[in-house]
Amino acid sequence: MSAPVHLDSVDLQILELLRADGRRTVRDIARLVQLSPAPVRRRIARLEESGVITGYTITTDQAKLGQGLQAVTELRFTGDTDIHDIVEFASTLPEVDEVLTLTGDVDALVRLHVDSVDELQKVVNRLRRKGVGVLQTKTLIVIDSWQRGTPVP
């Protein structure tokens, strides 16, 4: 793991503004943090070069893409299962959005989107049958969610 990068309050403000809107202009950010555009551009470049900013992305409305059901599946594995194998297998499933490997009772959490409960059952069955060393699953359906950088509903 790399060493933390020192960030001042302006860097933190810039990050928060970019989290809220990755397409925000440098001019707009400069106005909000009370600097001119040139130093803001340099700060953003430094944050990118140092690896603090690792990329820019979009968020989508999964329901409009036909995948309106979100779920989280807990996975428990045999003791000799390699974490890389867990992530490698789960990442091959197109319904999987994220895999978090954990310490403790649960070995991994898999966040996924599907179009129906029937599709959810098929994906969970694939995780159980073809997942390397899967001993047990527990699936929770998401009712609602919120993510930092977005307005509270």
Side-chain angles (χ1 to χ4, degrees):
M1 186 151 83
S2 61
V5 176
H6 174 72
L7 304 176
D8 65 17
S9 62
V10 175
D11 292 330
L12 296 172
Q13 283 180 295
I14 290 170
L15 289 173
E16 193 59 36
L17 290 166
L18 287 171
R19 274 190 202 106
D21 181 359
R23 296 180 68 183
R24 191 180 300 267
T25 65
V26 170
R27 184 176 304 277
D28 185 44
I29 294 169
R31 180 180 56 78
L32 293 167
V33 300
Q34 300 178 341
L35 291 175
S36 64
V40 169
R41 192 173 294 110
R42 284 193 299 272
R43 283 173 178 264
I44 292 172
R46 182 178 49 80
L47 291 167
E48 291 170 344
E49 290 166 8
S50 66
V52 172
I53 295 176
T54 59
Y56 297 85
T57 188
I58 63 166
T59 57
T60 56
D61 184 334
Q62 294 300 119
K64 291 182 179 175
L65 294 172
Q67 295 181 317
L69 186 65
Q70 183 179 4
V72 178
T73 299
E74 295 179 356
L75 302 175
R76 288 176 177 79
F77 293 89
T78 58
D80 62 344
T81 304
D82 189 292
I83 289 174
H84 177 74
D85 293 339
I86 297 167
V87 175
E88 187 174 28
F89 168 71
S91 69
T92 66
L93 303 176
E95 300 85 358
V96 172
D97 293 325
E98 182 177 24
V99 179
L100 302 169
T101 53
L102 310 168
T103 61
D105 194 35
V106 176
D107 296 306
L109 289 177
V110 177
R111 189 173 56 86
L112 49 99
H113 278 92
V114 293
D115 60 357
S116 67
V117 173
D118 289 338
E119 184 67 22
L120 177 60
Q121 181 180 359
K122 290 175 186 172
V123 173
V124 172
N125 282 339
R126 277 188 279 165
L127 286 167
R128 285 181 176 168
R129 291 186 187 134
K130 298 186 180 175
V132 180
V134 175
L135 290 174
Q136 182 181 8
T137 64
K138 177 180 176 183
T139 300
L140 308 163
I141 294 176
V142 176
I143 296 171
D144 199 2
S145 66
W146 172 81
Q147 186 174 5
R148 186 154 310 283
T150 62
V152 176

